[in-house]
Amino acid sequence: MGASLPPKEANLFKLIVKSYETKQYKKGLKAADAILKKFPEHGETLSMKGLTLNCMDRKADAYELVRRGLKNDLKSHVCWHVYGLLYRSDREYREAIKCYRNALRIDPDNIEILRDLSLLQAQMRDLSGFVETRQQLLTLKPNHRMNWIGFAVAHHLNSNGSKAIEILEAYEGTLEDDYPPDNERCEHGEMLLYKISLLEEYGFLERALEELYKKDAKIVDKLAYKEQQVSLLAKLRRFEEGEKIYRSLLSMIPDNYRYYEGLQKCLGLYSENGRYSPEEVDRLDVLYKSLRTQYNWSSAVKRIPLDFLQGEKFREAADGYIRPLLTKGVPSLFSDLSPLYDLPDKADILEQLILQLKDSICTTGGFPGSATKEPPSTLMWTLFLLAQHYDRRGQYDLGLVKIDEAIEHTPTVIDLYSVKGRILKHAGDLAAAAAMADEARSMDLADRFINSECVKRMLQADQVGLAEKTAVLFTKDGDQHNNLHDMQCMWYELASGESYFRQGDLGRALKKFLAVEKHYADMTEDQFDFHSYCLRKMTLRAYVEMLKFQDRLHSHAYFHKAAAGAIRCYIRLYDSPSKSTTEEDEEMSRLPPSQKKKLRQKQRKAEARAKKEAEDKNEEESSAGISKTGKRQHAKPVDLDPHGEKLLQVEDPLAEGTKYLKLLQKNSSECLETHLLSFELNMRKQRILLALQALKQLLKLDGDNPDSHRSLIRFFHKVSSFTTPVTDSEKLVWSVLEAERSSLSQLHEKSLIEANKSFLEKHKDSLMHRAAVAEMLYVLEPGKKPEAIKLIEDSTNNLVSIKGALGPVKEWKLNDCIAVHKLLGTVLVDPNAASRWKARCAAYFPFSTYFEGLCSSAISGSVNHKICNALENGGMNHQEAKSGVSPLNGNIETFKDLTI
């Protein structure tokens, strides 16, 4: 580097490099300017100056200098390397790889460039190139441990495990017998465990076990050693030895559920679906009773039997499990029991048990059959558990009664208010739920979790302004947006994005959804530093797991929600573009071409000016921002588009939506919503074959889903309206459609009207299926709109009686009923039918603010409270309350007077 310079300037060039590495950027700039004063066109100095300026956030100047330097010295590997580093800092990895390859053509044995190239190849998953580069590094520097390990890992990632094992064994052959020294024992042990895990992964089980026993003394992590040992023994079906190891592991960590699962497998008592024969249940019961005597302080050993026990044995085990936790006052007890509610029989037993415990405490002051008096708090926690039980079973009125009793008993316990808010949310009163969560928050202003739950309830109630003010209480310097974004607080961004979408504010909704997408891009970027770190520190097993996790990163639920939300925004934007945008387009279309060009130039200049002013303001604040310690503070970036207005100014919303759809199709192909969004997008884009592909996936995943049925009927109804094909491509598409239609079982030898009727006969007891049939009947035969409405109104809410429950449980879901109401009002466009449906649902969901139920916060508080008490006590029914007549007092007006 700098070889073409005289000695004095060559030393200055070395100073530039050293200053860059030690982050003394001003010193490096001073040295660069001294060289350029004498040699203004020296390419390598120009490049290094540009690289230094890039670290000082002067990117435009940096690129200009680096390109100038490269132009002046195209045969310098330094210029190409620096250009690659510049691209790498901007995450332009493919361009950076091109620059590195050009540098290696000039200096093929440069270890620094090869190392940087290998990191980028691992980042971009260019695995064959990664293997090649690591091999070259090992050839150049075979005495470096990291080069051996990197070459092995490269082969492993490239699905060549046998070669990776050979390389690791060859590396071990270069070591002396007394290796490793004390300061490298942990790292060497990790390398050995990685090698054994490789042997296991590629089926060399006996060899892996032999290697494990042989290297026992050199492996420091004994817990990982035992886990690896028992995994190999189980796969080799040496269950007796495996059982001993699992019991040994349980003595170390008796609350690890995986160890219990492994022990059951070794004893032949494990089932993937959780179903066991009576004989297996008896054997499992004996096993866990014996384990309970050994680990009586373990929670897992008492909780696991509840999953497989049945009947009276389940009741006894549940009783023994619940009692001490109620006495201690464990708020998370219901969360622990919640999976058992998927089995109705167990839910019935739990209800009987909890009611029995509550009644016994109320009458005797203790649990049934116990002479010990319980503390007063036990009754409160029992009511707390019972309220959550009723909430889980959809009996919200009973849940609210019990939680109110608990609050009256002990009004200072915050968890009670949080759970009441949760019950109100499930019951449909989002405003009251937010108010109750805020009351819980005000009882402990230092609790971040309760504050976050309150913010979430407010966003669900579309109280975005209030939610922002509440969230700001736990952010640095009261800067809510920047801090929550920097902390990657995705639940907040998703909840606020969904709230904005419900309110029709697509700009802000898009801004929130795309912020979540940016977090996932940052997570992908964050793995970069680990490519060298993990090889150096020998955390190889964790490194490979991290890479596998990164490969499936976009299948995470939060990303799916954000991408689906963004696609829905773009679809709505396409269906009803913003008024301002359409007006601007119309005005633009009236102008002659010359004026259009001038106007666009003027707009671009105005945007550039605004951006420059914001950047200048940032720099001023940065230069002025000195902390009390004397350190310079970084200015907060200015958001040039706080309301997301620029995000709405896209020429083709569907093309933008397709970008995110491709990610969902790649990473969430098993999700029904992915293919529904694909169908909606492609139908609007007139991509008939792609829409057909999405439809086939919908029918394959769930052909009985109402949305799948809607898509099927809509697609072929739309296709039938097309004109006769003329061109060869149209004829080809038409022939494909005909062939596919005959292959679909739902339409085999049936018209669309017949298929719709057949779907109704199959699902006539389901509200949402009837609504889908009604909607499609209206699409196929608009004249039969009254019949379509009658189909919906003839639906009955089957009340399911549950053994032990104090009342019937509704089969209809609140969100389904809201969707049907919107269907009647906006699609079938019948305000009278929508009004009738609303009145009917108000009786079924009395706490729903959407339907303005009598017990909701939509009704004035005092009247609401009295009517609800009357309803709960059986003094009046919903129809009487709606009509204003009650056997209690004759009419509702008198009832109102009594509350004043």
Side-chain angles (χ1 to χ4, degrees):
M1 292 189 296
S4 58
L5 294 169
K8 181 182 177 183
E9 281 71 24
N11 288 331
L12 281 174
F13 187 85
K14 291 177 182 177
L15 179 63
I16 299 171
V17 176
K18 186 178 179 182
S19 300
Y20 167 74
E21 290 172 349
T22 56
K23 299 184 179 180
Q24 296 177 316
Y25 302 127
K26 286 188 178 179
K27 190 175 180 181
L29 281 179
K30 190 176 179 181
D33 289 335
I35 296 173
L36 293 172
K37 195 171 183 179
K38 289 187 178 180
F39 304 95
E41 298 301 319
H42 187 252
E44 293 182 357
T45 305
L46 286 168
S47 295
M48 284 305 301
K49 183 180 178 181
L51 187 61
T52 305
L53 288 174
N54 182 60
C55 297
M56 300 172 75
D57 292 330
R58 293 170 59 183
K59 287 193 178 294
D61 296 336
Y63 272 100
E64 184 183 347
L65 284 168
V66 171
R67 283 170 181 151
R68 212 174 103 203
L70 185 61
K71 186 179 178 182
N72 292 338
D73 196 351
L74 274 172
K75 292 187 177 180
S76 167
H77 71 273
V78 174
C79 293
W80 281 110
H81 191 187
V82 168
Y83 201 18
L85 290 172
L86 206 60
Y87 273 125
R88 193 184 82 177
S89 70
D90 287 339
R91 304 184 184 182
E92 296 284 348
Y93 295 133
R94 297 196 185 281
E95 294 300 321
I97 287 173
K98 291 178 187 176
C99 294
Y100 290 155
R101 289 197 181 282
N102 285 330
L104 287 171
R105 288 192 186 100
I106 300 162
D107 187 5
D109 294 337
N110 189 302
I111 288 176
E112 287 293 328
I113 299 173
L114 283 167
R115 190 179 295 127
D116 284 349
L117 176 61
S118 73
L119 300 181
L120 287 180
Q121 287 169 329
Q123 178 79 4
M124 300 303 294
R125 303 297 190 270
D126 176 12
L127 299 178
S128 57
F130 185 40
V131 169
E132 182 184 332
T133 306
R134 295 307 315 190
Q135 183 175 15
Q136 200 171 347
L137 279 166
L138 180 59
T139 305
L140 291 169
K141 212 166 184 181
N143 60 342
H144 201 301
R145 178 186 68 179
M146 187 173 165
N147 290 338
W148 284 94
I149 304 303
F151 190 33
V153 170
H155 274 292
H156 180 202
L157 296 176
N158 201 33
S159 303
N160 192 352
S162 301
K163 187 69 176 175
I165 294 165
E166 286 178 24
I167 294 162
L168 290 172
E169 289 181 338
Y171 165 67
E172 285 186 88
T174 65
L175 303 176
E176 298 175 2
D177 292 338
D178 59 347
Y179 187 87
D182 289 343
N183 62 332
E184 294 184 19
R185 286 185 68 231
C186 291
E187 294 173 6
H188 187 67
E190 278 296 315
M191 189 274 289
L192 293 173
L193 285 170
Y194 171 65
K195 177 189 167 186
I196 292 162
S197 68
L198 264 177
L199 289 166
E200 180 184 12
E201 183 179 340
Y202 285 90
F204 305 112
L205 302 178
E206 292 282 1
R207 188 175 157 195
L209 192 61
E210 182 183 341
E211 185 76 12
L212 187 70
Y213 290 144
K214 184 179 176 183
K215 300 294 170 62
D216 180 8
K218 294 186 177 183
I219 295 174
V220 180
D221 189 346
K222 293 305 178 186
L223 180 64
Y225 175 91
K226 282 182 175 292
E227 288 180 341
Q228 186 72 64
Q229 180 188 9
V230 78
S231 174
L232 290 167
L233 288 171
K235 287 180 179 178
L236 289 167
R237 305 188 69 79
R238 290 160 63 172
F239 294 127
E240 289 185 10
E241 296 174 63
E243 180 190 346
K244 292 177 183 177
I245 304 297
Y246 271 123
R247 290 185 183 275
S248 171
L249 286 167
L250 282 172
S251 66
M252 298 164 67
I253 311 175
D255 275 321
N256 190 317
Y257 278 69
R258 288 189 298 110
Y259 296 164
Y260 289 103
E261 181 183 310
L263 179 60
Q264 286 181 219
K265 285 179 179 176
C266 288
L267 294 170
L269 294 172
Y270 181 74
S271 170
E272 292 288 344
N273 57 17
R275 294 178 182 173
Y276 300 95
S277 66
E279 183 186 348
E280 288 173 330
V281 169
D282 291 340
R283 288 176 62 196
L284 281 169
D285 191 22
V286 171
L287 169 67
Y288 278 93
K289 280 178 179 176
S290 67
L291 290 171
R292 203 175 304 140
T293 59
Q294 297 176 59
Y295 316 116
N296 58 357
W297 64 92
S298 167
S299 174
V301 79
K302 300 169 188 173
R303 171 61 184 82
I304 293 172
L306 300 184
D307 292 328
F308 59 79
L309 290 175
Q310 301 291 333
E312 191 58 32
K313 285 188 176 181
F314 169 78
R315 191 185 186 289
E316 289 175 11
D319 192 16
Y321 183 69
I322 290 172
R323 287 189 186 194
L325 297 180
L326 288 177
T327 303
K328 289 179 182 178
V330 178
S332 61
L333 174 57
F334 180 78
S335 299
D336 192 15
L337 297 175
S338 186
L340 300 173
Y341 282 76
D342 294 332
L343 302 169
D345 291 343
K346 291 189 176 182
D348 292 340
I349 293 171
L350 284 173
E351 180 168 318
Q352 294 169 13
L353 175 61
I354 300 168
L355 285 171
Q356 187 179 357
L357 294 175
K358 194 254 316 179
D359 292 340
S360 178
I361 295 169
C362 289
T363 54
T364 67
F367 290 129
S370 173
T372 307
K373 296 290 182 183
E374 290 294 318
S377 61
T378 305
L379 176 59
M380 183 270 292
W381 290 114
T382 307
L383 291 168
F384 178 72
L385 178 62
L386 190 57
Q388 293 175 91
H389 164 85
Y390 285 132
D391 176 41
R392 179 71 166 76
R393 307 202 87 182
Q395 297 171 286
Y396 307 120
D397 47 355
L398 293 174
L400 288 168
V401 168
K402 296 305 173 188
I403 202 68
D404 281 338
E405 285 182 29
I407 291 171
E408 188 177 351
H409 183 280
T410 312
T412 56
V413 177
I414 300 172
D415 296 284
L416 301 178
Y417 298 88
S418 295
V419 164
K420 184 173 181 180
R422 206 168 300 142
I423 297 171
L424 285 167
K425 176 236 176 183
H426 295 155
D429 198 337
L430 300 178
M436 189 56 58
D438 192 48
E439 186 174 348
R441 180 193 65 82
S442 64
M443 295 173 72
D444 186 354
L445 298 176
D447 193 312
R448 184 193 290 265
F449 172 77
I450 296 173
N451 182 273
S452 298
E453 189 173 37
C454 177
V455 170
K456 192 171 184 179
R457 295 281 174 265
M458 289 172 174
L459 290 172
Q460 288 164 347
D462 293 335
Q463 300 169 359
V464 182
L466 191 56
E468 288 181 355
K469 290 178 183 177
T470 307
V472 90
L473 298 172
F474 275 87
T475 55
K476 188 178 180 182
D477 301 327
D479 183 5
Q480 177 256 333
H481 289 291
N482 286 333
N483 274 274
L484 286 173
H485 181 77
D486 293 342
M487 290 189 293
Q488 298 184 342
C489 189
M490 288 185 276
W491 69 262
Y492 173 81
E493 288 167 331
L494 285 171
S496 54
E498 287 162 1
S499 178
Y500 282 129
F501 182 78
R502 286 192 296 270
Q503 297 175 68
D505 191 343
L506 297 184
R508 282 189 171 100
L510 263 176
K511 194 171 181 66
K512 294 297 182 184
F513 289 136
L514 298 186
V516 176
E517 190 271 337
K518 171 72 164 54
H519 295 324
Y520 280 87
D522 290 340
M523 288 180 204
T524 302
E525 167 66 17
D526 288 342
Q527 69 178 302
F528 187 84
D529 293 333
F530 290 96
H531 298 309
S532 58
Y533 174 84
C534 292
L535 294 180
R536 191 170 66 251
K537 293 294 185 181
M538 288 290 173
T539 54
L540 305 175
R541 292 176 299 150
Y543 175 59
V544 172
E545 283 301 312
M546 184 269 290
L547 293 181
K548 290 177 181 177
F549 168 75
Q550 287 284 352
D551 289 340
R552 61 178 187 273
L553 181 66
H554 289 94
S555 62
H556 193 270
Y558 275 3
F559 179 82
H560 180 92
K561 287 181 183 178
I567 293 168
R568 288 198 304 271
C569 287
Y570 284 122
I571 289 174
R572 186 177 288 186
L573 186 61
Y574 173 82
D575 291 343
S576 53
S578 60
K579 189 177 179 183
S580 58
T581 307
T582 52
E583 286 176 358
E584 285 175 10
D585 291 342
E586 287 174 8
E587 287 176 11
M588 185 79 80
S589 63
R590 294 193 197 103
L591 296 174
S594 59
Q595 290 187 15
K596 278 184 191 177
K597 188 175 180 182
K598 287 180 182 178
L599 186 61
R600 287 198 184 99
Q601 286 177 347
K602 191 176 179 182
Q603 288 173 345
R604 280 196 290 269
K605 285 180 181 177
E607 287 176 6
R609 197 182 306 116
K611 187 175 181 182
K612 185 74 169 62
E613 287 173 1
E615 288 174 355
D616 291 343
K617 187 179 178 183
N618 263 353
E619 286 180 12
E620 287 173 14
E621 290 176 356
S622 178
S623 60
I626 306 294
S627 68
K628 293 177 181 177
T629 58
K631 293 183 179 178
R632 189 174 300 280
Q633 294 176 327
H634 294 288
K636 294 167 185 173
V638 176
D639 190 351
L640 299 175
D641 186 24
H643 304 310
E645 292 172 0
K646 289 183 181 178
L647 295 173
L648 299 178
Q649 298 169 7
V650 290
E651 293 182 6
D652 189 353
L654 297 183
E656 291 295 320
T658 304
K659 294 178 186 177
Y660 300 101
L661 177 65
K662 287 178 180 176
L663 286 170
L664 290 183
Q665 287 174 325
K666 181 180 178 182
N667 299 285
S668 302
S669 59
E670 297 301 312
C671 182
L672 198 73
E673 186 181 23
T674 298
H675 303 293
L676 279 170
L677 292 169
S678 174
F679 178 80
E680 295 294 339
L681 272 174
N682 288 306
M683 286 294 283
R684 285 165 174 78
K685 291 168 73 175
Q686 301 292 319
R687 302 279 182 88
I688 299 302
L689 292 181
L690 289 177
L692 176 62
Q693 186 182 42
L695 174 61
K696 289 180 68 179
Q697 287 295 325
L698 286 171
L699 296 175
K700 180 181 176 183
L701 288 173
D702 188 358
D704 291 330
N705 188 282
D707 289 320
S708 300
H709 177 69
R710 281 191 185 92
S711 302
L712 175 70
I713 302 298
R714 277 179 54 208
F715 178 79
F716 284 102
H717 179 65
K718 178 79 173 176
V719 167
S720 65
S721 65
F722 290 167
T723 56
T724 307
V726 178
T727 64
D728 291 340
S729 60
E730 288 177 348
K731 289 178 181 177
L732 181 61
V733 171
W734 196 264
S735 64
V736 170
L737 293 175
E738 288 295 323
E740 290 294 340
R741 174 168 179 156
S742 61
S743 68
L744 296 174
S745 60
Q746 291 88 346
L747 294 179
H748 188 59
E749 297 181 356
K750 292 178 187 173
S751 66
L752 295 180
I753 294 172
E754 290 171 342
N756 200 36
K757 288 180 180 176
S758 175
F759 191 77
L760 174 63
E761 290 170 6
K762 189 176 179 182
H763 304 285
K764 60 184 177 182
D765 294 329
S766 167
L767 171 64
M768 293 308 291
H769 289 81
R770 291 177 75 93
V773 170
E775 183 182 349
M776 291 303 100
L777 176 61
Y778 177 62
V779 168
L780 296 171
E781 300 177 274
K784 292 190 175 181
K785 177 176 165 182
E787 291 182 30
I789 293 169
K790 190 173 185 301
L791 261 179
I792 295 174
E793 292 186 330
D794 285 348
S795 303
T796 55
N797 187 7
N798 298 322
L799 300 177
V800 183
S801 296
I802 298 178
K803 186 172 62 176
L806 298 183
V809 179
K810 303 176 190 68
E811 189 181 76
W812 284 0
K813 305 297 180 189
L814 177 60
N815 289 335
D816 292 345
C817 290
I818 291 172
V820 170
H821 181 260
K822 290 177 179 176
L823 172 68
L824 290 167
T826 58
V827 179
L828 298 178
V829 197
D830 191 325
N832 293 329
S835 179
R836 291 194 300 271
W837 184 257
K838 184 175 181 179
R840 184 178 177 185
C841 290
Y844 287 128
F845 304 101
F847 293 94
S848 168
T849 48
Y850 182 89
F851 292 118
E852 298 179 359
L854 290 170
C855 299
S856 71
S857 56
I859 307 296
S860 65
S862 58
V863 178
N864 171 31
H865 180 69
K866 294 290 184 181
I867 292 176
C868 286
N869 278 343
L871 288 168
E872 287 161 6
N873 294 327
M876 62 190 298
N877 58 42
H878 289 282
Q879 295 302 323
E880 291 165 345
K882 290 296 288 182
S883 64
V885 178
S886 168
L888 285 177
N889 47 44
N891 62 68
I892 204 77
E893 295 302 324
T894 308
F895 199 76
K896 287 180 182 178
D897 293 338
L898 291 174
T899 66
I900 297 172

